[in-house]
Amino acid sequence: MAFMSSFEKGMEKVLVPIATKLNSQRHIVAIRDAFILSFPITMAGSLVLLLNFAILAPDGFIAKILFLHKLFPSLAEYQSVFIPVINGSTNILSMFIVFLVARNIAIELKADDLLSGITALSTFFIIYPPYQNVDGASLLTAQWLGAQGLFVALIVGLLVGEIFSRLSKSEKLQIKMPASVPPAVARTFKVLFPIIIITILFAIANAIINAVYPAGLHQLIYTVLQTPLKQLGTSSVWSIIILAFVSNLLWIFGIHGPNTIAAIREAMFTEANLENLNYVAANGSAWGAPYEISWAINDAFANYGGSGMTLGLLIAVFIVSRRKDYRDIGKLSLAPGLFNINEPIIFGLPVVLNPILIIPFVLAPIVNILIGWSAIHFGLIPPIAYSVPWTTPGPLIAFLGTGGNWLALVIGFVCLAVSTLIYLPFVMAANKAADVVQK
Amino acid sequence: MNQHKIRIMAGQIKFLHDFFNMYEDAQIKVNVEQLNKVDMYIVVETALTEDETVRYVKEIFKKTPHGAALSYAIQLA
């Protein structure tokens, strides 16, 4: 106990300041919040695609259950109606991100956030590969608007957000209009010079980079930064295990783990998630999706009940706990736990700062990540390609994330059973410890 | 003026205690009634309703540097 106490104090002194810094550093927060704000768009796109294939495709799991294709033989023809949804979500994600990052920076620096975001979007296209003439038509490649352009979007958003916010505060650069001028007009003139300066700066930078590296800035950033970071995330299951370990360890010490690792997690896995989604949009199936390793594995197999796989803890409490307080907290925590919200049990038992429960809280998700990844790696189930809301009950995330693969659902239940088994002896030990303390 | 008793739960309760102990602004005045290892009880004097008070207490802590870094739950006691 003395060890635990000094460990807690060490965590408090070392980890809390780091987590606080990470969660309040404006560039990290701007990136994190940009992904959070764009999440509903990508999620909506993913869900529409999932429903599209599940209901309208002949081999879709809902279509099979309800015999839809026997009832409506021409149903598959309507799949094309919903395919363009991906063009309005993941395929233009970089445009959302560049706008939102610059906007978030401007909010933090108390500048004009809307015009900061618009300026960043404008700048993104200043450095974009030029129009190409094909058969008399001017065409702009869509290659860098989606997942592959994410890092350029992040960098441009950060730079423009910073430069715009600082320049727009300079009195010398502000054009002040008479009071009779409408506010919207006065607002735009106030930041006109900063926008002109940013536009010129990025046009010159773009010309220089194109002269040195003819493939262009997007290709350069993609090759030098985005690809290595993506490979760091997707080339080995250990990347997920380490991030999950850190996130859950922070959580048990009262630090918001998922928030703290959000920026690095998004940087490492977003492109892989989007590429998988694009694959299912093009092929109608998660089988053969390009990235078997992505953060989606954690959500699909190792986050039932919330961080620490606490749905397994709840079941273990119901199985072996003789203490009324444990069972009462378990009953209170079950409904939110089914939807992966675990505050009631985290603070109720409590799990936080609990020296006995820390081991299964960190261990169970790691074991489940390995189970889920093994099932994908050995071809038992396809990769988790569809994005599914994190509040979806437990094994259903694996089922829906694979496009309705029944074995994925079974493996999800296996993961739940394994996590329950891992928690069982620790719940018994926690019960005994609580009995001793009570006596 | 209303008085609402609120329970704040957190692994790093010290940081929330440091913030809320004797906290006072135009909307609320806080007194810490009891501090435990992973929770504390505060009594809030305010013109706000119970639900508004819980929301307000959450919001003001969320705006602090520790607001997004720590995990905590705030509810009526």
Side-chain angles (χ1 to χ4, degrees), chain A residues 77-404:
Chain A
E77 294 167 19
Y78 295 99
Q79 281 186 81
S80 59
V81 173
F82 297 104
I83 295 293
V85 166
I86 198 97
N87 293 333
S89 55
T90 60
N91 283 354
I92 54 167
L93 184 66
S94 290
M95 290 170 63
F96 300 142
I97 294 294
V98 72
F99 175 88
L100 290 168
V101 170
R103 171 189 167 269
N104 292 343
I105 293 278
I107 289 173
E108 192 68 28
L109 294 174
K110 301 191 173 17
D112 191 321
D113 59 302
L114 188 61
L115 284 165
S116 175
I118 293 172
T119 308
L121 188 57
S122 156
T123 309
F124 183 75
F125 282 101
I126 290 172
I127 59 166
Y128 203 77
Y131 284 92
Q132 310 243 331
N133 269 317
V134 180
D135 298 333
S138 283
L139 302 179
L140 199 64
T141 176
Q143 183 183 1
W144 308 106
L145 295 178
Q148 292 192 16
L150 269 180
F151 269 53
V152 173
L154 292 175
I155 292 167
V156 170
L158 291 172
L159 284 174
V160 172
E162 281 286 333
I163 298 170
F164 177 91
S165 301
R166 289 173 193 284
L167 292 181
S168 63
K169 282 182 186 164
S170 167
E171 296 264 333
K172 289 175 189 164
L173 294 174
Q174 291 176 3
I175 300 174
K176 295 204 170 105
M177 305 300 280
S180 56
V181 170
V185 178
R187 178 184 176 188
T188 52
F189 271 94
K190 194 178 166 192
V191 294
L192 185 59
F193 276 129
I195 292 174
I196 291 171
I197 292 169
I198 289 169
T199 305
I200 292 170
L201 273 178
F202 275 84
I204 293 170
N206 183 49
I208 294 170
I209 289 166
N210 280 335
V212 178
Y213 192 81
L217 183 65
H218 282 79
Q219 185 65 56
L220 179 67
I221 299 287
Y222 186 71
T223 309
V224 173
L225 275 180
Q226 189 166 336
T227 303
L229 204 55
K230 179 184 70 177
Q231 280 173 348
L232 185 68
T234 59
S235 60
S236 163
V237 71
W238 285 102
S239 58
I240 309 175
I241 289 175
I242 290 168
L243 279 180
F245 172 78
V246 171
S247 178
N248 291 322
L249 189 69
L250 291 175
W251 197 256
I252 209 156
F253 283 99
I255 298 166
H256 202 298
N259 263 6
T260 306
I261 65 159
I264 182 74
R265 188 187 64 214
E266 298 294 351
M268 286 166 83
F269 295 109
T270 298
E271 190 194 342
N273 290 337
L274 298 184
E275 293 291 341
N276 278 351
L277 194 58
N278 279 337
Y279 179 89
V280 292
N283 296 281
S285 166
W287 285 106
Y291 295 99
E292 69 173 35
I293 295 168
S294 73
W295 186 251
I297 289 180
N298 179 72
D299 293 338
F301 300 104
N303 202 44
Y304 303 169
S307 290
M309 197 78 187
T310 46
L311 199 55
L313 169 61
L314 278 171
I315 297 171
V317 164
F318 289 129
I319 293 173
V320 293
S321 184
R322 289 164 286 104
R323 288 184 63 88
K324 187 177 180 303
D325 54 347
Y326 270 53
R327 296 183 75 85
D328 286 347
I329 289 162
K331 282 175 198 162
L332 276 174
S333 308
L334 187 60
L338 286 174
F339 299 96
N340 308 324
I341 294 164
N342 60 4
E343 270 80 3
I345 194 156
I346 289 275
F347 297 114
L349 281 186
V351 178
V352 280
L353 304 182
N354 188 321
I356 296 170
L357 293 176
I358 185 171
I359 297 167
F361 192 88
V362 172
L363 183 66
I366 291 175
V367 172
N368 287 345
I369 287 168
L370 284 170
I371 293 172
W373 168 76
S374 301
I376 295 168
H377 185 68
F378 293 109
L380 296 176
I381 60 171
I384 311 297
Y386 292 93
S387 300
V388 182
W390 65 269
T391 44
T392 304
L396 277 179
I397 299 181
F399 177 66
L400 297 173
T402 51

Side-chain angles (χ1 to χ4, degrees), chain A residues 8 12 16 19-20 23-24 32 251 253-256 259 343 347 350 352-353, chain B residues 7 9-12 14-15 37-38 64-73:
Chain A
E8 278 171 27
E12 185 185 302
V16 173
T20 303
N23 280 289
S24 56
R32 185 195 70 199
W251 197 256
F253 283 99
I255 298 166
H256 202 298
N259 263 6
E343 270 80 3
F347 297 114
V352 280
L353 304 182
Chain B
R7 184 183 182 207
M9 294 163 281
Q12 298 292 338
K14 171 186 175 295
F15 294 92
K37 193 181 175 189
V38 294
T64 69
H66 292 116
L70 303 182
S71 67
Y72 48 87

